[in-house]
């Protein structure tokens, strides 16, 4: 039986992409704690972060998350390379913006920006908290690891504030196309439903993009 | 009216091609772009130069032979028409018009503006048929088909195989063409007995021909002269899942 490699690869990209989309909602909601006044935010954020780290369920989800990112990136790279090979010669003149969005034409570039962000982001937090690399993490008054302090000090460095905020832009654009596209890849073909999904995708991308983009600034000026 | 054409010239698949400039006077805005090329070819004959090879048949938007890339768009600057439906009134006097053949690894250039689209034929051969008896015409009401179903099938059947979807797609994906052919037959009772086999065979052939995979840029449905909707591709994906489970 034929393997339908295109379909298989795109299904993995869409499935892992949508899983990451759900993760982003949870992640953004938790990070909203950071904009609360310092006195409340520190305790809440540190206890939340400790509960997550110690929960078996979350540990499993975390591995799913790592796997999703890896699968998404690897298969995205594979189809992007294959798709380039299918169009070896470009047009001398191509007004593709008249028939499609810039975003849909540049998902690989946008994804690479996000990957760059993920690497820096993991180095900032995950490597320090989970792997214990870099300066040791202090404890707060309740004896929890003071993850709040890590974010707080990071977001008082203007370079990191700008980096985190700028990188929310490619994320928003990637999500706007990706969210819509994933449903079609997975075989959802109800016309009216797809129009609703297109609207949801726009709002989703705006909320996630602006949400992640604005938190570092609020913390900086707090 | 005067147009400065920049046209892709290439003698054979093996040779390198290039854009060549031709200034053509005495055109009128009522001419179709193909008529302007005819006019240019007559001039080339008089000048003892090789004529420009391009394809056409019906010149009324129904055969799908005339596909070329004009000024950065498949079939020229308008949405959803064929090349033969494009007239010089869409351009201004003195404009430069760049004409290139379809670009896709699976559509190699044969000569000038003519590409080999037999990959489409092989996708059709792999499953876009029904193996039922074709004798004399059957009784029209022997198989009752709901209006919405026949509309869906007829909308998909409108595809004329021009190749604009592949040409405009950054991935050279043939998903719009293939999905139109699959959904045409698979939505009708006549196509049902081979439905699962058809979708797997045709999508596999599509991959074997070296077309890229669909990432839903949506460019194809804008350039398709038959307004085949991109939703057909989503439906094809659903049919692949069904075929994998039940086929
Ligand atoms: C938080 C991170 C990310 C999320 C939520 C996400 C989400 C998505 C979604 C939902 C899709 C649509 C799948 C489809 O079309 O069926 C997609 C496609 C894609 N993603 Fe991501 N993605 C993320 C990160 C990345 C990264 C790090 C890369 C690359 C290094 C990447 C590269 C791509 C590419 C190339 C596509 C295919 C694009 C296309 O349809 O043209 N993504 N992504
Ligand atoms: S789907 Fe449209 S653009 Fe593609 S071959 Fe058929 S008619 Fe041409
Ligand atoms: S020549 Fe037949 S569609 Fe243009």
């Amino acid at each position: 039986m034929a393997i339908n490699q295109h379909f298989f690869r795109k299904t993995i990209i869409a499935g892992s992409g949508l899983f990451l989309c759900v993760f982003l909602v949870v992640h953004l909601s938790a990070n909203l704690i950071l904009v609360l006044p310092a006195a409340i935010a520190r305790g809440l954020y540190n206890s939340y972060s400790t509960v997550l780290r110690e929960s078996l369920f979350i540990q499993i989800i975390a591995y799913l998350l790592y796997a999703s990112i890896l699968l998404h990136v690897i298969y995205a790279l594979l189809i992007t390379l294959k798709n380039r090979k299918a169009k070896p010669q470009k047009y001398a003149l191509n007004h593709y913006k008249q028939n499609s969005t810039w975003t849909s034409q540049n998902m690989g570039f946008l994804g690479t920006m996000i990957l760059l962000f993920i690497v820096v982001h993991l180095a900032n937090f995950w490597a320090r908290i989970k792997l214990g690399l870099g300066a040791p993490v202090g404890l707060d008054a309740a004896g929890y690891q003071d993850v709040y302090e890590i974010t707080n000090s990071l977001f008082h460095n203007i370079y990191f504030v700008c980096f985190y905020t700028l990188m929310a832009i490619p994320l928003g654009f990637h999500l706007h196309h990706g969210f819509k596209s994933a449903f079609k890849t997975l075989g959802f073909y109800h016309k009216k439903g797809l129009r609703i999904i297109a609207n949801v995708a726009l709002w989703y991308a705006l909320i996630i993009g602006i949400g992640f983009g604005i938190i570092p600034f609020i913390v900086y000026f707090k | 009216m005067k147009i400065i054409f920049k046209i892709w010239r290439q003698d054979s698949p093996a040779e390198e091609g290039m854009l060549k400039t031709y200034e053509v006077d005495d055109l009128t805005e009522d001419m179709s772009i193909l008529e302007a090329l005819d006019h240019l070819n007559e001039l080339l004959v008089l000048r003892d130069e090789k004529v420009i090879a391009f394809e056409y048949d019906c010149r009324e938007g129904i055969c799908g032979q005339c596909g070329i890339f004009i000024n950065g768009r498949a079939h020229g600057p308008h949405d959803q028409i064929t090349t033969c439906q494009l007239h010089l009134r869409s351009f201004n006097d003195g404009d430069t018009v760049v004409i290139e053949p379809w670009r896709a690894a699976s559509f190699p250039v044969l000569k000038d503006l003519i590409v080999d689209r037999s990959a489409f034929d092989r996708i059709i051969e792999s499953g876009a048929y029904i193996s039922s008896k074709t004798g004399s015409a059957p009784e029209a009401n022997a198989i009752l088909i709901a209006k919405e179903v026949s509309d869906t099938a007829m909308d998909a059947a409108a595809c004329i195989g021009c190749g604009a979807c592949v040409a405009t797609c950054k991935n050279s994906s043939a998903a719009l063409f293939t999905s139109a052919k699959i959904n045409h037959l698979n939505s009708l009772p006549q196509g049902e007995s081979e439905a699962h086999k058809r979708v797997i065979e045709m999508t596999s052939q599509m991959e074997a021909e070296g077309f890229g995979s669909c990432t839903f840029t949506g460019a194809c449905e804008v350039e398709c002269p038959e307004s085949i909707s991109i939703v057909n591709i989503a439906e094809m994906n659903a049919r692949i899942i069904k075929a994998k489970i039940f086929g």
Side-chain angles (χ1 to χ4, degrees), chain B residues 109 120 218 240 243 247:
Chain B
V109 174
F120 269 12
I240 296 177

Side-chain angles (χ1 to χ4, degrees), chain A residues 10-11 13-21 23-24 69 72-73 76-77 79-80 83 103-104 106-116 118 171 174-175 177-186 204, chain B residues 170-171 214-217:
Chain A
K10 281 280 343 237
T11 302
I13 298 179
S16 57
L18 284 183
F19 178 74
L20 291 171
C21 285
F23 160 75
L24 286 182
I69 295 175
H72 191 84
V73 170
L77 184 73
I79 72 156
T80 305
N83 286 347
T103 307
S104 70
N106 291 285
M107 288 293 276
F109 166 75
L110 293 168
T112 309
M113 292 282 107
I114 302 174
L115 185 62
L116 179 74
I118 293 177
L171 176 65
H174 192 88
L175 293 177
H177 179 72
F179 191 92
K180 285 185 286 193
S181 175
F183 284 90
K184 289 178 253 187
T185 298
L186 297 175
Y204 174 79
Chain B
K170 78 177 174 68
N171 313 320
C214 170
T215 60
F216 291 104
T217 66

Side-chain angles (χ1 to χ4, degrees), chain B residues 40-67:
Chain B
L40 170 57
N41 272 346
E42 281 165 16
L43 297 177
L44 292 178
V45 169
L46 292 177
R47 297 207 303 238
D48 225 8
E49 290 179 38
K50 274 189 214 158
V51 296
I52 298 155
F54 62 97
E55 275 188 288
Y56 59 86
D57 188 7
C58 69
R59 298 211 180 195
E60 55 180 357
I62 55 174
C63 75
Q65 289 299 300
C66 56

